[in-house]
Amino acid sequence: TTVLHSYGNDGLPSAEVTAFQAADARLKYQKARIEYDPKGCARYQGVAPDGQLRSEPLLDARSQPICAKNL
């Protein structure tokens, strides 16, 4: 028998996903995705209307960069 454990937030999007969705709604870059910089901070990256690859930090609800806490 397999025992499943619920951690209470299985269906909730992460801070990165929430910030990505907001940035994507605003910027609408093609091939948009979440990338991470060398410091472990999440970034919205995609191809801008001018054809250039662009990136900007993903920010949390307090307008702070979303970074891995262990880096």
Side-chain angles (χ1 to χ4, degrees):
T1 304
T2 302
V3 177
L4 298 177
H5 297 278
S6 174
Y7 296 97
N9 65 352
D10 296 344
L12 299 176
S14 67
E16 290 93 340
V17 170
T18 301
F20 173 86
Q21 291 170 335
D24 194 50
R26 181 171 46 88
L27 298 169
K28 298 179 171 62
Y29 289 172
Q30 293 182 354
K31 300 180 182 176
R33 62 189 173 274
I34 297 172
E35 290 291 335
Y36 293 87
D37 67 17
K39 294 180 180 179
C41 297
R43 300 186 63 82
Y44 176 91
Q45 182 174 319
V47 179
D50 64 4
Q52 298 296 311
L53 184 64
R54 307 266 181 196
S55 176
E56 72 170 58
L58 290 177
L59 305 176
D60 66 15
R62 296 173 296 140
S63 296
Q64 298 299 309
I66 301 170
C67 303
K69 296 186 182 4
N70 59 354
L71 294 178

